[in-house]
Amino acid sequence: MGMIGVVSGVLSTLRSARTVAQWKHVPPVSASSKSASVLAVVPARNEEAALPSLLSGLVGQPGVRVVVVDDASGDATAAVARSCGAEVIESSGPPLGWAGKVAAMHLGVGAAQDEEWLLFVDADVTCTPDLVGRLVASAGELGADLVSSSARGDGVAWWFLLPAFNTLVFEGSPPDGRGVTALGVGHCILVRRSVFLAAGGWEALAETHADDVGLATLIRDSGGVVRFIDATALLTTSGLDSFGDTWRSLRKSIQPSVREMFGPWGRVLLVVAGLLHLAYGLTPVLRWRSPWSWLAWFAQAVSHREFVRRVGSPEVSAVLAPLSWATIGVFLLDCALRPGAAWKGRRVG
């Protein structure tokens, strides 16, 4: 048990130090604004309640055309989008061989005219009226062909579950772009249209459910420059407000993504990762008298705090970091042992 404590303390310290260092590769969104021709594509399935908040800030931004793709909704999504000033494309759903969201975004891109940039925004996001101009300015300052940012939100998941999940994301797709996959977040992605089309567009990613990381990786591997930036001051999301919503949202992304990457071995890897992370979180708690456990607890809290302070969540929640990691372990086991995931009435895993 003594060796377990030492391993826990050393591993937590190294892991936390890496996460904090990686945040240094995430530049803030530009303080300036630059006008450009932009087609904003909003895939929307049963989003009548969320769309007014997004479109009130997005429609009317200089140089921006907004197209909402109504993805076979059963509510008034199309009517609400039109009433808010957006163009609407109505879809009967994805064709065979296409993931739903990817198919919707592909239809939206088909409405492009001569726009220089494409912006993909989730329907449950709210943005400030200067978002697009500052994203374009950021891309210019960074020499990037694609920039993306996560949003911020409210609820327990933001200060309990997502801080640990952020470390997993950075480990799989580092923000410096040097991982096997490049980091992109589907809340908000701006990409240069010419580079997007040259890389194959959404047709090259038709079946993927990890469309954000998939697009960032496609652009990077095609020679484009990809940067993840911090624009959380300009973006909020309601899609992760409850703990259950967050769990289901992450599950519908992780489960099919692991299956796509590792095939039948994916479930085994999820079981192993789940057990390891359960132990990673519980060891500092169960062996709290050990100084090595205090080191592990402190180290895990440091990376936890780095995330919550950037998204405006309570920094005091960092004290719960080990429990956050244990919960991530349970989450990964859930993904492995309960096959199948659904989102908005569609099976995605």
Side-chain angles (χ1 to χ4, degrees):
M1 290 297 290
M3 182 57 68
I4 292 175
V6 172
V7 171
S8 175
V10 172
L11 179 60
S12 297
T13 300
L14 293 176
R15 199 176 193 187
S16 178
R18 185 186 183 198
T19 299
V20 172
Q22 286 175 327
W23 271 111
K24 296 179 180 178
H25 294 284
V26 182
V29 66
S30 176
S32 62
S33 181
K34 181 179 179 181
S35 294
S37 56
V38 179
L39 174 67
V41 177
V42 182
R45 179 169 168 80
N46 298 329
E47 296 286 5
E48 64 176 9
L51 278 174
S53 296
L54 167 64
L55 298 179
S56 64
L58 190 59
V59 172
Q61 293 201 27
V64 180
R65 272 180 68 215
V66 180
V67 172
V68 173
V69 182
D70 178 13
D71 185 11
S73 297
D75 63 5
T77 289
V80 169
R82 289 190 182 97
S83 70
C84 292
E87 301 174 36
V88 175
I89 297 174
E90 297 193 47
S91 168
S92 58
L96 185 65
W98 284 76
K101 184 179 178 182
V102 173
M105 291 187 289
H106 178 63
L107 281 177
V109 171
Q113 297 173 355
D114 57 354
E115 287 85 6
E116 180 183 1
W117 295 90
L118 300 171
L119 176 68
F120 301 102
V121 189
D122 282 350
D124 53 18
V125 166
T126 300
C127 66
T128 59
D130 59 346
L131 170 70
V132 180
R134 291 176 67 178
L135 291 176
V136 172
S138 293
E141 293 167 6
L142 297 170
D145 300 298
L146 181 150
V147 294
S148 75
S149 175
S150 58
R152 65 170 65 188
D154 296 317
V156 62
W158 285 92
W159 52 262
F160 184 72
L161 185 63
L162 291 175
F165 191 78
N166 167 76
T167 294
L168 290 182
V169 170
F170 275 9
E171 289 173 345
S173 305
D176 61 8
R178 297 180 183 178
V180 175
T181 56
L183 181 56
V185 176
H187 292 162
C188 177
I189 298 178
L190 178 77
V191 59
R192 197 181 302 274
R193 183 168 160 243
S194 59
V195 175
F196 171 85
L197 295 176
W202 289 121
E203 289 178 307
L205 300 166
E207 296 184 86
T208 187
H209 292 280
D211 48 88
D212 45 11
V213 169
L215 179 58
T217 304
L218 178 69
I219 297 299
R220 184 200 64 184
D221 292 349
S222 300
V225 177
V226 174
R227 295 299 302 268
F228 177 70
I229 65 175
D230 183 359
T232 53
L234 312 181
L235 291 162
T236 59
T237 178
S238 59
L240 305 176
D241 278 355
S242 75
F243 191 87
D245 286 343
T246 304
W247 192 281
R248 287 186 291 271
S249 179
L250 297 181
R251 192 171 184 273
K252 62 90 176 173
S253 298
I254 293 299
Q255 197 175 65
S257 298
V258 171
R259 187 191 66 234
E260 291 169 11
M261 293 177 66
F262 301 105
W265 286 101
R267 184 176 294 186
V268 175
L269 292 174
L270 284 171
V271 169
V272 172
L275 293 173
L276 289 175
H277 282 95
L278 192 60
Y280 181 76
L282 290 181
T283 298
V285 177
L286 297 178
R287 289 183 48 82
W288 61 272
R289 289 185 177 88
S290 166
W292 288 102
S293 291
W294 280 105
L295 175 62
W297 198 315
F298 175 77
Q300 291 177 24
V302 168
S303 60
H304 187 112
R305 176 182 176 273
E306 187 69 21
F307 176 84
V308 295
R309 75 177 185 86
R310 288 173 179 268
V311 299
S313 294
E315 293 185 27
V316 69
S317 65
V319 72
L320 300 175
L323 298 179
S324 174
W325 276 112
T327 305
I328 285 291
V330 174
F331 167 77
L332 294 173
L333 289 172
D334 178 49
C335 290
L337 302 177
R338 192 163 57 97
W343 190 250
K344 294 187 180 294
R346 287 181 181 149
R347 184 180 176 87
V348 296

